[in-house]
Structure formats: structure tokens, C-alpha cells
Amino acid sequence: MAENTLVRRLGLAHATAINMTDMVGIGPFITLPMVIGMMNGPWFLYAWLAGAILSFIDAMVWSELGAAFPKAGGSYNFLKETYGKTGMGKLMSFLFVWQTMIQAPLVIASAAIGFASYFSYLLPLSAVEAKIMSGSVVICIIVLLYRKIESIGKISMVLWVGVLLTLIWIIGGGLAHGNFLSPIKHINDGLTLNYAFVAALGFASVKSVYSYLGYYNICHLGGEIIDPAKNIPKSMFISIAGIAVLYMLMNVSVVSVIPWQHAKDSGFVVSEFMEQLSGHAAAKIITCLILLVAFSSVFSATLGYSRIPYAAAADGAFFKVFAKLHPTGNFPHVSLLFLGGVAFIFSLLFKLSDVISAILAMRIVIQFISQAWGLFLLRRRKSETSFPYKMPLFPIPVFLAIIMWVGILISTGFHMVLGGLSAIALGVVVYFVKAKANKEWPFNITAKADKNPQHF
């Protein structure tokens, strides 16, 4: 085994567990009342359905690219391959790593902040104590991830079981209550298909989509997946289908006990739901399980993101220090420690409500829209045999994904969009300064001569 090479040790079960634990973090428990409040009616379930549909369509894009280019770094490699290794792909892949160095710690910090927020149900925390709690969560995650990938796969399986048991208990509680189908029967009560509904659906979908993010996490670990051409697409579709069903059932279960009019203003809606069903002791237990789920999500997300700067550095497109692997554990420890350190700082500085929209606004243009368009360009110039997985009805899902992501981007709000675009613009400036100093594209004569019009 080469000293600086990742090892394929993760199977389908591990891949699915990593995706699902990333998806079901603190997100659905804290965004459930947010979504209800934005929709302000029993039709809030449509926002969760919209998030599932977008995720499923976008997963087709990820599946084609993940199966064709199963390497560490995910979108870094996808953007480089789709826009040309010696041309525009250099800029696009650099911008992805650039935004990842900001956005990834934001994702990790959001879960840690959410953890501290929900912990307040067990023990009320002051503002300072909440910051100490969120920072401690990040530190614990880094300690757990500082080990070999096969050990991490086993830890992921244990955490995955905890996630499933938590959701099953919540759903089972609603079923046992005896009024489970009521929210579904009344889902269209007072519903009018007009601009107000569409606008509300867009704003609410920002929160529901946030709770689905992570279905592609395994693509960042492409270099460590066994039989990636099959297991990467399968793990994503299984994850989305499973989580969509669990989210819908959980929402129905909660509002079958706590009316949506009350649930939309609750800070601990699932804990209150369980307290009403089974008493205060049961509410404390479910809160502890929710905290385990939140912790699991930070674990899975940090694992995937730590491979992105490593992949770029190993490819010579980022600072060399990030390409270092641990001498005995064979994992990118420098990348892990850096992202964890920035996430620790973010967890002390930001509020959760701001972080959720910022995460989406920053990553949509480069990671989702540009990646989907890049696949369309790549499919035009390469034969279908180059793609082990091929989406049905190509290119319709690609265009649908782009349209829906544009809608989500707009729904994050003007200031978030402006902030995301500003970060990209700054990244473009940094890239051109770096490219000019290193005589890379577009300042390299060889690269210019190699540029193929078919790439654009």
C-alpha cells in the first residue's frame, strides 16, 4: 500500500450509514417548527416533499459523477473533469475548495450550535455556556475522527442505529396515539394555489432542503468506497428514500399529537411531543437521543469534508500541507484539524438561524448549479460508456435540478445571495493572483493551446 494513498474499505452499508447520519442531524428537529411557521398551515408537509424531490433529482447528477470519478474530494474532482483539467476546470475546482474552507466549518458549526440549543431542554444554558457546549462538541468530533477509516466505518454504523431508533420511537409514539392520519387528511385544508403559497413553499424549502443535505456525502469519500460504481449511487438513493419516508412520518406523528398552530412556536417540539405522550422522563430520553443524532451528523459531515482540501492538495491545486496523511492512520489529519479548528471558532461566533441560509447561499452556485451544468457539458463530449451510472431521461433531470436550485438560492434572501456571490468573487480574484504567480491557466501558454472548444 502506498504511503500517500487512501484505502477502499467502506461498503454499501457503511456508505449508506455515513450519508444518513449526515442527513439526519439536528436539522429536522429544529427546522420542523420553522417550516410549519413559514407555511402557516397544515400544508407544511409539501415543503418536506419538495425537499425530497429536489434531493432525488440532484442525486442523479451526483450519481453519474460519483460513479465515473470515485476519488476523494467529490465535487473538486467533478468540476475539474467536467470543465476541463487544463482550462476552466482549474478555476471551478479551486472555487469549490475555496468555498468549502468557509462553508464546511459553517455546516459543522451549525450542527454543534443546534446541539447546544437542544441541550437546553435538559439543562438551561446561559449564552456563554451554550458556546462552551457547541465548541466542546466540535472538539469531541475531531478526537473521534482522528483514527483509521475502518474504525470510523464501525462508529458510523453504531451512530446510524441510534439515528434510526430515535426516528422510529417518535413515529411509533404518534401511531400509538391513535390520531396519526389526521394531519394527512387535512393537508389541503384552506390551501389556495397562488403566489403566496408558492413563495411560502420556496422559503420553507430552504429549511427542509437543509435537513436533506448530506445525501452526497459519500462522494467526498469516493477513494475509500468498495465497488464505487454501484455503491455510490445506491447509497444516495437509499438514503434519500429512507430519510424522506422517516421525515414525513415524523412530521405527521408530531402534529398528530401537538397541533401545528402550537408546534410552529415550539423550540423543543419533539421533546414536548414525547412529554405529552409519555411524561417528562421519556421526554428527557428522546432529547438525549436527538442529541446523539446531532452528534452523529457532525461526525459524518466532518469526515466527508476533511477529504476535500486533501484531494485538492494531493492534486497540486491547493496548499501542499493539506495533502499529508497521518503516518500510521493513513487519513488526512492536517485537513481534519484545520476544518475542525475553523468550525470551533464559528461555533463560538454565529447564531443558528443565520448559519442555515448562509450555508445554502454559499454553496449552491458552485457545488450544485455549476456541477449539474458541467455534467451536461461532459455528457456532450464523452461516450455513454464513460458513465457506469446513467440517469433516466437525460438531460431533463439536469435542467430540473438547476431550475430548482436557482429557486432555493433566491429564497435564501438578497443579503445571503449577495454574501455568497461576494465570496465567489473574492475566490476568483485569489485564483487569478495565484494562477499568475504560478503561470497556470489562463496565464499558461500550453494550457491556452490545449483548450478545446468542445469544453464550453
Side-chain angles (χ1 to χ4, degrees), residues 188-200:
N188 292 322
D189 287 1
L191 174 61
T192 303
L193 292 176
N194 52 23
Y195 175 78
F197 172 78
V198 174

Side-chain angles (χ1 to χ4, degrees), residues 62 71-79 96 219-221 308 371:
W62 285 87
K71 304 174 184 178
S75 293
Y76 166 78
N77 290 301
F78 303 160
L79 291 166
F96 171 69
C219 291
H220 299 146
L221 302 165
I308 294 171
Q371 185 169 280

